[in-house]
Amino acid sequence: MSFLIDSSIMITSQILFFGFGWLFFMRQLFKDYEVRQYVVQVIFSVTFAFSCTMFELIIFEILKVLNSSSRYFHWKMNLCVILLILVFMVPFYIGYFIVSNIRLLHKQRLLFSCLLWLTFMYFFWKLGDPFPILSPKHGILSIEQLISRVGVIGVTLMALLSGFGAVNCPYTYMSYFLRNVTDADILALERRLLQTMDMIISKKKRMAMTRRTMFQKGEVHNKPSGFWGMIKSVTTSAPGSENLTLIQQEVDALEELSRQLFLETADLYATKVQGKETKERIEYSKTFKGKYFNFLGYFFSIYCVWKIFMATINIVFDRVGKTDPVTRGIEITVNYLGIQFDVKFWSQHISFILVGIIIVTSIRGLLITLTKGMYFVSSVLLIRMSMPLEYRTIITEVLGELQFNFYHRWFDVIFLVSALSSILFLYLAHKQAPEKHMAP
Amino acid sequence: KMASLDRVKVLVLGDSGVGKSSLVHLLCQNQVLGNPSWTVGCSVDVRVHDYKEGTPEEKTYYIELWDVGGSVGSASSVKSTRAVFYNSVNGIILVHDLTNKKSSQNLYRWSLEALNRDLVPTGVLVTNGDYDREQFADNQIPLLVIGTKLDQIHETKRHEVLTRTAFLAEDFNAEEINLDCTNPRYLAAGSSNAVKLSRFFDKVIEKRYFLREGNQIPGFPDRKRFGGGTLKSLHY
C-alpha cells in the first residue's frame, strides 16, 4: 500500500519536472528562435525530468522520506531509464540530425545515423579499457559498466568546465575593474572598421564592374565547379578572371580584418558597459544588499582559486580528497575560537548545500547542451564525496563497486589541466589585443 | 572611370540563418552561394544597377548591400557595435524565413533598431499589437520585405503563408518578394519579382539623388509625407 502512495508521489513530481523542463525550453533557451523538431523538445524535457527525479531521490534519502524499499526501486528504475536515453537515444538523434544536414547522404539518412551510432558505441566501450573501472565480478551489460563509462565522460566534462570557469571568473572580475575604456578608444576603432569596409567596397565595385563588362562582351564567367572544372580554369583563364581572383584574395583578407575589428569593438563596448556597471555597483555596494552580493562575488572567486590550489596539492602529494575545504575550514575556525560546536553535523549539511548550489548555478550554463544527462550522473558520483558516511550506503548499493577514488583523482587532473590551459589561453589573447590598439 | 559612379547604401537585415548572405550573393553576382557560413559583423557586396533602364534617363549606379549579421536578442554591446553600420542608410531590405514565424515577427525589432539608431538600444520589444504604425508611415527610407525558403513551404500551406506575409509587408508600407535563394529563376529578368526589385532600387536612388526633401538621416523623419506612402497607412 505504501508503495503505491510513494510511487504516485514520485510520478507526480516527475510530471511536474517534465512540464517545467518543457516551459524552460520554450521560454528561455529558444526565446528568439522557432524550434520545429518537437522530438528535441520531448527528449530534453524527459531527460530533465528524470535527472531532477534522481536529485529528488537523493534528498529523500537524506531526509528519510518515503519507504526504503520503494526508494530503492525508483532509484534503480530511474537510473535504467536515464542510461537508456543517454546511451541509446541521444547519440542516435544527434547522429541523425548531423546526417540530415549533409545533403549528399540525405536519402539514406537512417542507415548512416545507425552507422554513426554504432561507431559511437564502439568508442564508448573502448573508453573503459584504459581506466581501472572494470570489475571482474560483473557482466558486460550491467548497469555498473554503463555508469562507469558515462561517469568518466561526465566527470571529464565537468572538470574541464570548472577549470575554465575557475580561471575565467576572477579574470573577468579583475579586468573590468582594471581596464578603463574611453569613448575616444571606441571611436578610433569604429573609424578603422568603417575604413576597412570602404576598402572592401571599392574592391568589390571593381570586381562587379569587371564581371559586368565581361558578361557584356560575351565571356560568361563561370565558377569552376568540380575537379575538372578547376583543372580547366588553370589552363584557359581569361585575363579578366585572373584579375578577379587576385582582387578576391585581397577582399578575403580585408574581410577577415573587418571581422576582427568588429569583435574588438564589441569587446570594448562590453568592457565600457561593465565599467559603468561597476561604478554603479560601487554605489550599490554601500547598501547592505550590495555588500552581500559583493561578498558572494569575492567568496566565489577565492573558492575557485582555492580549488585550483587543492587540485595541485592532491596530485602532487598523491592524496585522495577525503574532506572538502569547507569542512576543513570550519574545523579550523571552530578549534581556534574554542567554541563547543558540533562541527561534523553542521559541516556535512552546509557542504552538501554548497555543492548543490554550485551544481544548480552551473546547470544554467549546461542546460543548453545535450550532455546534461551525463553531467547529472557524474554529479551524483561527486556528491557522494560530500555526503556523510551513513548516506553513502544506498548509493553504493545501487551503483555497485565503482572505484570512487579514481574519479576524484581523474577530476583533479582534468580540472588542473583545464585551468592551466585557460590561464595560458587568456594570457595569449590579452597580449594580442593591446598590440592591435597601438597600430595606427 | 567606372569607380566614379554614384552610390547608394542599402541595409540587409534579418535573423541569423534566414538566408541574407545567400540573397546578397544572388543579387550581386547572379549566382547561388555554394557554401553559406555564419556572418560575423558585417559583409558587404556591390550590385551594379541601371536606374530607369530602357529610358533615355538611364544611368548606372553602384548599390552597396550591407549584410549585418546577428540576432535581435544580442547583448547591448553587440547592438552598439552594429549601430556603426546604420549610418546614412538609403534603403533597407528586411529578410525573413517563410518557414519560421519568429523571424517574421523579429523584423519589427530589426527595423526599429536600424531606424532609431540615435536612441540608446534598449531592446524594447514591439509586438504586432502595440507597434506604432505612425512610425512606419512617416519613415522616408524605402523598405522591401523578402521572404526566403519558399521551396520548403508545402503547396497546401502556401496560400496561408503568403497571406501572412502580405499583411507583414503592408505594415511596413513596403513591397514584398518571396523566393528561394538557391534558385536563380525567381529573379529571372522580366519576372514580376525582378520588376519589383528594380522598382525598389530605383526608388532608393530617387530618394537619394533626385528629391531634395528625401535626403533624410535616420531617426529624424520629416513630418511631411509624400511619395507612395499616404494611402496605405490610412487602412485602419
Side-chain angles (χ1 to χ4, degrees), chain A residues 31 34 197 204 212 266, chain B residues 44-45 50 81 100-102:
Chain A
K31 197 159 52 123
E34 191 174 281
M197 301 304 296
K204 292 228 164 161
R212 189 169 141 110
Chain B
V44 200
D45 212 341
D50 293 315
T81 323
N100 185 331
K101 276 204 199 122
K102 278 244 177 80

Side-chain angles (χ1 to χ4, degrees), chain B residues 141-156:
Chain B
I141 302 180
L143 302 172
L144 176 68
V145 177
I146 295 191
T148 58
K149 307 197 187 163
L150 182 62
D151 54 319
Q152 292 179 23
I153 305 280
H154 200 253
E155 284 293 330
T156 48

Side-chain angles (χ1 to χ4, degrees), chain A residues 159-383:
Chain A
L160 277 173
L161 286 169
S162 327
F164 179 72
V167 170
N168 199 41
C169 170
Y171 172 75
T172 44
Y173 198 65
M174 273 185 347
S175 72
Y176 288 143
F177 255 124
L178 298 178
R179 275 212 289 183
N180 219 352
V181 176
T182 64
D183 280 341
D185 292 334
I186 296 185
L187 274 177
L189 208 61
E190 279 182 348
R191 205 160 359 127
R192 270 185 73 200
L193 180 58
L194 286 176
Q195 276 172 358
T196 317
M197 301 304 296
D198 279 335
M199 282 164 70
I200 296 177
I201 289 179
S202 57
K203 292 211 191 302
K204 292 228 164 161
K205 281 179 187 168
R206 274 172 60 193
M207 283 170 69
M209 204 34 108
T210 318
R211 272 198 297 264
R212 189 169 141 110
T213 43
M214 273 170 59
F215 183 71
Q216 283 169 346
K217 283 192 201 150
E219 305 164 21
V220 182
H221 173 64
N222 272 322
K223 241 198 210 142
S225 56
F227 188 65
W228 290 116
M230 270 173 28
I231 302 272
K232 260 207 300 192
S233 70
V234 166
T235 50
T236 62
S237 54
S241 58
E242 250 178 37
N243 223 359
L244 277 179
T245 37
L246 216 72
I247 306 182
Q248 181 64 48
Q249 283 171 357
E250 293 173 19
V251 164
D252 288 337
L254 282 173
E255 281 184 334
E256 185 58 45
L257 177 62
S258 77
R259 279 191 279 272
Q260 292 274 32
L261 289 173
F262 180 82
L263 291 174
E264 272 182 50
T265 316
D267 189 41
L268 279 192
Y269 267 116
T271 320
K272 181 171 158 225
V273 165
Q274 281 286 22
K276 237 197 290 189
E277 271 180 19
T278 319
K279 287 210 191 92
E280 283 170 10
R281 208 184 287 164
I282 295 179
E283 293 298 316
Y284 180 66
S285 71
K286 303 235 168 80
T287 71
F288 182 70
K289 221 176 164 195
K291 283 202 179 114
Y292 173 71
F293 279 116
N294 222 11
F295 172 71
L296 277 188
Y298 276 128
F299 178 73
F300 193 64
S301 303
I302 294 179
Y303 186 70
C304 293
V305 175
W306 170 263
K307 275 213 80 153
I308 297 180
F309 185 63
M310 286 308 293
T312 328
I313 297 223
N314 279 346
I315 294 175
V316 168
F317 291 111
D318 201 21
R319 206 170 67 95
V320 178
K322 296 216 169 55
T323 48
D324 55 315
V326 180
T327 322
R328 199 51 99 49
I330 296 184
E331 266 177 29
I332 298 177
T333 336
V334 165
N335 285 336
Y336 185 69
L337 294 175
I339 299 179
Q340 291 300 344
F341 197 58
D342 191 356
V343 179
K344 266 195 173 300
F345 176 71
W346 284 110
S347 67
Q348 284 165 359
H349 292 274
I350 289 180
S351 56
F352 179 65
I353 291 176
L354 258 186
V355 171
I357 291 180
I358 291 182
I359 290 181
V360 166
T361 47
S362 344
I363 282 176
R364 270 192 84 230
L366 275 198
L367 267 177
I368 310 237
T369 67
L370 289 171
T371 51
K372 195 174 49 58
M374 289 189 184
Y375 180 79
F376 257 102
V377 171
S378 48
S379 300
V380 167
L381 292 171
L382 283 171
I383 277 184

Side-chain angles (χ1 to χ4, degrees), chain B residues 125-190:
Chain B
L125 177 64
V126 171
T127 62
N128 249 343
D130 308 304
Y131 90 107
D132 188 3
R133 229 163 196 249
E134 281 295 306
Q135 210 154 29
F136 289 108
D138 272 348
N139 170 41
Q140 292 309 318
I141 302 180
L143 302 172
L144 176 68
V145 177
I146 295 191
T148 58
K149 307 197 187 163
L150 182 62
D151 54 319
Q152 292 179 23
I153 305 280
H154 200 253
E155 284 293 330
T156 48
K157 291 243 174 111
R158 224 164 250 214
H159 179 71
E160 172 196 331
V161 168
L162 292 179
T163 322
R164 175 166 63 85
T165 57
F167 278 125
L168 183 74
E170 212 178 277
D171 280 344
F172 285 115
N173 213 356
E175 287 279 8
E176 63 154 348
I177 294 178
N178 294 312
L179 45 64
D180 165 27
C181 297
T182 61
N183 193 339
R185 75 168 168 91
Y186 283 98
L187 292 176

